[in-house]
Amino acid sequence: MCKTDQLIEYITSDIISYIMEDTKLPLPEAMQRLYTSQTYAKLNDIETGLYREGSPYVYDIFKSEKANGKIIQEEI
């Protein structure tokens, strides 16, 4: 497993834990929510570089996607 794959796996694991913690969903449902999201697709797309960000940052993107129905890049 290359370093990029490891980083993606660590972030994925963290986000699933965050989802379970925040929503009280069981593991299979939390996994389903993440794996079917645009955020997860972007995380696995090496071109985006999202795998280089921290888990809390990626989770914020996931929460924003769920709240808005799509990924919205918020301006500073």
Side-chain angles (χ1 to χ4, degrees):
M1 179 181 289
C2 71
K3 188 172 187 161
T4 301
D5 291 340
Q6 269 187 315
L7 290 171
I8 291 169
E9 192 155 320
Y10 291 148
I11 293 170
T12 299
S13 178
D14 287 346
I15 293 174
I16 290 169
S17 293
Y18 297 156
I19 294 169
M20 290 172 56
E21 198 173 296
D22 288 350
T23 63
K24 307 300 183 219
L25 288 173
L27 178 62
E29 288 180 37
M31 291 171 68
Q32 177 70 19
R33 284 211 181 166
L34 178 60
Y35 293 154
T36 58
S37 70
Q38 292 176 352
T39 304
Y40 185 70
K42 297 289 185 191
L43 177 62
N44 281 280
D45 181 356
I46 304 306
E47 296 290 318
T48 67
L50 191 56
Y51 69 92
R52 295 184 193 132
E53 301 295 340
S55 299
Y57 178 81
V58 178
Y59 185 53
D60 283 344
I61 293 172
F62 172 81
K63 290 189 298 186
S64 175
E65 174 191 344
K66 291 304 173 189
N68 296 301
K70 61 183 178 179
I71 294 177
I72 297 175
Q73 184 171 353
E74 297 181 18
E75 299 299 323
I76 297 175

